[in-house]
Amino acid sequence: MRKTTIPIGPQHPLLKEPLSFTLEAVGETIVSASLRIGYVHRGIERLSQERNYAQNVHLFERVCGICSHAHTTCFCQAVETLLGVEIPARGAHIRLIMCELERIHSHLLWLGVLAESIGFTTVFMYAWRDREIILDVMEALSGGRVSHAANVIGGARVDISAEQAHDVEQKLADFATRLPMFEELLTRDRSFRARTQGLGVMTEAMVHEMGIVGPAARASGCTLDMRLQAPYGAYPSYDLTVITESAGDVWSRSQVRLLEMQQSLALCRQAMRNLPEGPPSVRVPRRVPAGEVVARIEAPRGELVYYVQSDGSETPARVKVRTPTLPTLMALVQLLPGVETADVAAVIAGADLCIACADR
Amino acid sequence: MNTDPLAQALGRAAGASCSASLRSMGTELLCTVDSGSLLDVVKALVDLPQYHHLSTITGVLGEGGVRVLYHFWLGAGLTLEVLCPAPSAALPSLVPLLPAADWYEREVHEMFGVQFVGHPHLVSLFLPDDWTEGPPMLAREEP
């Protein structure tokens, strides 16, 4: 039978960000897939060598429009290790609250994109409607919906007043009433299960071979979560469990994310109530002692890695960013062969890609 | 973070010369390996029961060429450092051992010009197809 080539991207209604798939199909079945990325490569790592450390916090915030706070947290953590600075407990708690809020809104964003890709527009609408509550909270705390600028080297730029904490608690209590509906939908809805179960299966072997991290790895039975394996910031003060599933399909990934949202919400509310007294940040010197360091945190999509090298000046000698989408993208090319053309959108959306993150 | 068990395991797996160069890098460990024994050390790492994944590969411009850093996660962070004397010098590719190295080696190749021998498809990853200015991370600022 004749092969048909289907180009998807770099600009395509299926994709939220630019990347380019070239799929070959025989009949309705994909038989091979290749991928070209780099359409939003901005040379951020090279540019960081021209900026001082304080400016770089804002530069790395712009690597990603979804997990922007995760990037600044990881970069600040790396620089603080080089400086030998321990940030105040209050600042560490504010970072944790923002990180967990970001995880919830990122997971809801993913759910909406996935639902839309399988034609379940109602869930897309509900997920993005309720995501607004979280974005409102993040805006109330930091002043920004996308770029929060909540971190500085040495702690948190923003502080949370008692009045703000009260408002946030009310909004989060409201949000908590929305989650059971998603649980009902994702766990029991027949059409959602029919479109996602058995689809885009990442095996545990594939996870190890490709170095896949985050909810995608945990949905395949892997217990990797940097918040537990390398506890940082305020995380050691809280009880967390690793949420895993075993099937490795798109449905399992939705279950992992659902439970993670519940855990993140509980963690946020607990941290808001336990906010320690004191300043949110400490002042740090502009010059960073020579040395090199690797920092790892658990971003919404998994392990985020920053390598920072300092030559003792005000600007870093080298910064390297590895975002969790990169290994997922490598694996995605292997997931597509064998998939029906009607399911391609769900496999791509189900991988939870962030292309701006991957391209830098 | 307790990295002692990792240091012992590395000593057993990769030999005394490798574990002798083991030193701390922030909260993680760094170990210098010569390019000839890189594959053996990585094979030993991958076979360790606590091995998890290769996080990424970083190229860093140094005094005598390019330093290539392989960042692993084994329940604790471990970075292998290989010195590449000239930017266009060759290192063995990890792809046959570890498919995860594929794109990371392509990135170091396009940004620093390092050749990875044995890589199945060593072409640009992020740079445009018509990029002709050479590896961008090697370019120096005009005085």
Side-chain angles (χ1 to χ4, degrees):
Chain A
M1 220 166 150
R2 203 167 62 91
K3 276 186 192 171
T4 311
T5 304
I6 309 171
I8 300 179
Q11 306 298 332
H12 193 277
L14 198 76
L15 305 167
K16 305 294 169 232
E17 290 179 89
L19 74 169
S20 177
F21 289 96
T22 305
L23 307 178
E24 283 187 322
V26 172
E28 284 291 313
T29 311
I30 305 297
V31 291
S32 78
S34 65
L35 177 59
R36 177 79 169 97
I37 62 170
Y39 297 97
V40 277
H41 176 67
R42 290 146 288 164
I44 285 182
E45 288 177 11
R46 178 68 186 84
L47 182 60
S48 73
Q49 292 167 212
E50 310 296 324
R51 301 279 183 275
N52 69 35
Y53 286 94
Q55 291 170 324
N56 272 326
V57 176
H58 300 283
L59 177 62
F60 287 114
E61 179 132 32
R62 279 147 185 82
V63 170
C64 181
I66 309 169
C67 50
S68 54
H69 180 75
H71 281 274
T72 58
T73 303
C74 199
F75 176 68
C76 288
Q77 228 168 264
V79 179
E80 284 151 9
T81 308
L82 281 171
L83 284 163
V85 167
E86 193 167 332
I87 68 166
R90 191 174 178 87
H93 273 70
I94 294 170
R95 272 188 193 175
L96 176 143
I97 291 165
M98 292 296 284
C99 276
E100 294 308 313
L101 288 170
E102 192 170 76
R103 196 178 318 280
I104 300 171
H105 99 66
S106 175
H107 285 3
L108 276 177
L109 179 133
W110 171 81
L111 177 60
V113 171
L114 173 69
E116 193 201 17
S117 76
I118 60 173
F120 210 158
T121 317
T122 320
V123 176
F124 160 67
M125 292 288 183
Y126 285 160
W128 282 40
R129 177 195 67 187
D130 294 344
R131 176 174 168 261
E132 283 301 309
I133 302 174
I134 302 297
L135 289 179
D136 284 348
V137 171
M138 296 187 89
E139 186 178 9
L141 292 178
S142 67
R145 282 163 54 88
V146 175
S147 295
H148 314 290
N151 282 323
V152 285
I153 296 163
R157 180 187 64 86
V158 295
D159 202 355
I160 301 177
S161 67
E163 200 182 325
Q164 273 179 317
H166 177 73
D167 288 351
V168 168
E169 173 54 32
Q170 279 189 327
K171 282 188 177 140
L172 293 182
D174 174 25
F175 180 77
T177 64
R178 316 285 181 105
L179 279 178
M181 182 194 68
F182 291 110
E183 187 177 356
E184 175 83 21
L185 266 168
L186 298 185
T187 318
R188 301 213 179 83
D189 188 89
R190 246 176 57 196
S191 47
F192 182 77
R193 289 221 316 246
R195 287 299 306 275
T196 55
Q197 281 184 330
L199 186 68
V201 177
M202 291 185 193
T203 61
E204 206 178 339
M206 193 191 262
V207 166
H208 284 280
E209 260 182 20
M210 308 307 286
I212 295 165
V213 290
R218 292 192 285 276
S220 304
C222 163
T223 54
L224 184 80
D225 186 329
M226 285 299 148
R227 292 174 296 171
L228 285 139
Q229 293 222 345
Y232 52 91
Y235 285 100
S237 325
Y238 295 95
D239 277 336
L240 276 171
T241 48
V242 186
I243 293 157
T244 58
E245 281 282 334
S246 53
D249 54 7
V250 174
W251 187 78
S252 302
R253 277 172 241 154
S254 75
Q255 294 301 300
V256 167
R257 286 194 175 85
L258 175 73
L259 294 171
E260 284 191 4
M261 281 195 278
Q262 293 170 348
Q263 178 165 269
S264 293
L265 181 65
L267 196 57
C268 263
R269 298 174 79 180
Q270 214 183 338
M272 284 300 270
R273 283 194 290 270
N274 293 345
L275 213 53
E277 292 299 319
S281 63
V282 287
R283 283 187 73 88
V284 296
R286 287 171 66 94
R287 288 178 182 276
V288 173
E292 52 186 345
V293 73
V294 175
R296 298 168 201 254
I297 70 157
E298 187 72 19
R301 287 171 187 72
E303 179 205 37
L304 173 64
V305 183
Y306 267 69
Y307 164 85
V308 180
Q309 186 197 37
S310 169
D311 54 9
S313 69
E314 287 180 13
T315 54
R318 173 88 170 103
V319 181
K320 160 84 183 183
V321 186
R322 198 301 308 263
T323 64
T325 294
L326 217 47
T328 313
L329 272 174
M330 272 194 270
L332 189 58
V333 182
Q334 297 176 15
L335 294 183
L336 285 167
V339 166
E340 297 289 301
T341 46
D343 286 331
V344 166
V347 173
I348 296 175
D352 197 9
L353 303 174
C354 180
I355 307 307
C357 254
D359 280 356
R360 286 156 284 138
Chain B
M1 193 188 306
N2 182 13
T3 48
D4 287 348
L6 177 62
Q8 287 164 11
L10 184 68
R12 279 197 304 276
S17 65
C18 181
S19 60
S21 72
L22 202 64
R23 56 204 185 273
S24 76
M25 178 172 68
T27 54
E28 303 195 352
L29 289 172
L30 177 70
C31 173
T32 307
V33 178
D34 64 72
S35 58
S37 56
L38 175 69
L39 285 181
D40 292 336
V41 175
V42 172
K43 180 148 191 354
L45 278 183
V46 173
D47 290 340
L48 287 176
Q50 67 265 51
Y51 173 74
H52 204 281
H53 65 271
L54 170 69
S55 291
T56 191
I57 304 173
T58 303
V60 182
L61 214 53
E63 285 300 310
V66 179
R67 291 166 68 215
V68 181
L69 306 175
Y70 298 80
H71 307 289
F72 290 90
W73 182 254
L74 306 94
L78 172 71
T79 296
L80 298 183
E81 173 195 48
V82 182
L83 300 171
C84 209
S88 59
L91 289 180
S93 169
L94 298 190
V95 179
L97 265 178
L98 259 181
D102 187 340
W103 284 16
Y104 306 138
E105 286 183 356
R106 281 171 65 183
E107 188 181 349
V108 176
H109 169 70
E110 69 177 340
M111 296 296 172
F112 290 90
V114 177
Q115 298 292 329
F116 291 93
V117 179
H119 191 291
H121 191 57
L122 198 62
V123 295
S124 286
L125 183 61
F126 296 112
L127 295 178
D129 293 336
D130 57 358
W131 181 266
T132 52
E133 292 172 39
M137 294 297 272
L138 294 180
R140 292 284 188 192
E141 285 297 296
E142 293 297 321

